[in-house]
Amino acid sequence: MKKTYVLDTNVLLSDPTSIFSFEDNDLIIPMAVLEELDRHKSRPDEVGKNARQVSRTLDDMRSSGSSLVSGVPLRNGGMLRIVSIDSVVMKDMPVELQESKVDNLIIAFMLRLGRCGKEMYEGFESAILVSKDINVRIKCDSLSIKCEDYLKMRGTDDPQKFYRGVEGVEGSEETVNQFYANGKLP
């Protein structure tokens, strides 16, 4: 059955080709996500590069003659839409989450879809938010919003094997010299 996924900014920033990773399902990118992409595009690192790549991809789709608001067909059979978040969405939010952070706007949008989807956003009422942000997923769960992690780039489901950066290992001076001489250690 075809699904509708709403993409959080962090999915696009971690994998700029993610819009082509959802098989034949439909995608929604909230306008607030475009604003976040815009804030990151001038960064000189991988995040900035990914933000620029996503923007170029969306611009190419737009220039092909399709409307991002009405929906652009994706090569895998789904449709991509850019959706503006209605200004009244925050009224549905718990008081603790009423600060207008982008994460909270997207969560409020998801709440609104669940409550008013048939009237305001035809076909989006069973949308699933996709976010790499653990706290967003926890907030969604506490509000009964469907939310999933973006797993395409994950190499393992075992948290003990997640990449954690550089690990320091202590050794003797002799061990270090052996490493530099041979390029490896037994």
Side-chain angles (χ1 to χ4, degrees), residues 4-6 28 110 113 123-129 145-147:
T4 301
Y5 292 101
V6 177
I28 298 172
M110 294 301 294
L113 285 180
F124 301 163
E125 57 273 5
S126 61
I128 301 163
L129 178 60
I145 297 170
K146 294 177 191 170
C147 187

Side-chain angles (χ1 to χ4, degrees), residues 20-45:
F20 304 112
S21 300
F22 289 88
E23 298 172 351
D24 62 345
N25 296 298
D26 294 335
L27 300 180
I28 298 172
I29 298 177
M31 190 77 67
V33 167
L34 295 180
E35 282 299 303
E36 279 198 310
L37 288 173
D38 197 43
R39 281 194 291 277
H40 288 288
K41 71 180 182 186
S42 60
R43 289 177 53 166
D45 58 6

Side-chain angles (χ1 to χ4, degrees), residues 112 115-122 125:
R112 190 85 166 151
R115 293 183 183 154
C116 309
K118 290 179 182 148
E119 304 150 22
M120 298 178 64
Y121 306 103
E122 185 65 38
E125 57 273 5

Side-chain angles (χ1 to χ4, degrees), residues 6-8 30 32-33 85 89-90 92-94 97-99 101-115 129 131 133-147:
V6 177
L7 301 186
D8 194 356
V33 167
I85 297 176
V89 296
M90 293 308 282
D92 294 333
M93 289 292 276
L97 302 178
Q98 295 218 345
E99 181 184 339
K101 292 173 38 179
V102 173
D103 287 347
N104 292 346
L105 283 172
I106 294 170
I107 291 169
F109 173 69
M110 294 301 294
L111 270 176
R112 190 85 166 151
L113 285 180
R115 293 183 183 154
L129 178 60
S131 179
D133 187 325
I134 292 170
N135 287 326
V136 165
R137 295 194 309 268
I138 292 169
K139 289 177 190 179
C140 285
D141 188 64
S142 70
L143 296 168
S144 299
I145 297 170
K146 294 177 191 170
C147 187

Side-chain angles (χ1 to χ4, degrees), residues 77-97:
M79 291 287 281
L80 170 74
R81 291 178 181 86
I82 305 293
V83 176
S84 181
I85 297 176
D86 190 290
S87 62
V88 298
V89 296
M90 293 308 282
K91 76 176 185 136
D92 294 333
M93 289 292 276
V95 73
E96 303 91 350
L97 302 178

